[in-house]
Amino acid sequence: MINIVVVSHSALLARGVEQLARQMMRGDGCKLALAAGVDDEQHPIGTDAVKVMEAIEAVADGDGVLVLMDLGSALLSAETALDLLDPDLAANVRLCAAPLVEGTLAAVVAANSGASLEQVVAEAQGALQAKQAQLGEGSPAAKSAALPLAQGKSATWTVQNP
């Protein structure tokens, strides 16, 4: 069985995704673990690589682990977690760029049906197709945005990073 980890900056968001996903799961199906928010009551939004690592370890008893993330630094935390894991365990973990909500739901359904890690990844990555078809949109890769170029304008920033 493929198990799933949801990495989010927000514990509330992750719990909402979990509630939706649990409606798609059987009792003896895949395991779902959350690694969300940080342990700071004043500033709870963020990700923690150690939490991600612990979540992966908590569901590592299956045939593989799929990790879905919400925003940029969640990916960085997940990548760091992979570096912290035992290499044998890390070899059975896949990070997935699928959208968090749709991807998690599709992954849970695929995992619960006994799909392989590659099949679960494919289902998660294709999760937006139904919504895109309903809205008459092509895949994001198929369209290229024609952004107007501002000619003759420039900006300068000084980034100080002690």
Side-chain angles (χ1 to χ4, degrees), residues 48-143:
D48 179 342
V50 173
K51 276 188 178 183
V52 177
M53 179 191 71
E54 291 170 348
I56 292 169
E57 290 174 335
V59 297
D61 59 348
D63 298 320
V65 177
L66 180 65
V67 180
L68 294 110
M69 302 135 298
D70 60 4
L71 303 171
S73 64
L75 171 57
L76 295 175
S77 291
E79 289 174 327
T80 301
L82 284 182
D83 291 338
L84 297 172
L85 286 169
D86 176 87
D88 291 335
L89 173 54
N92 291 321
V93 177
R94 281 285 303 271
L95 305 184
C96 183
L100 186 66
V101 176
E102 293 91 340
T104 301
L105 297 181
V108 163
V109 170
N112 276 312
S113 71
S116 70
L117 183 55
E118 291 305 317
Q119 291 168 321
V120 174
V121 169
E123 288 298 318
Q125 289 176 332
L128 280 182
Q129 290 176 352
K131 190 187 300 183
Q132 289 170 329
Q134 179 70 26
L135 294 172
E137 297 176 355
S139 67
K143 292 185 176 184

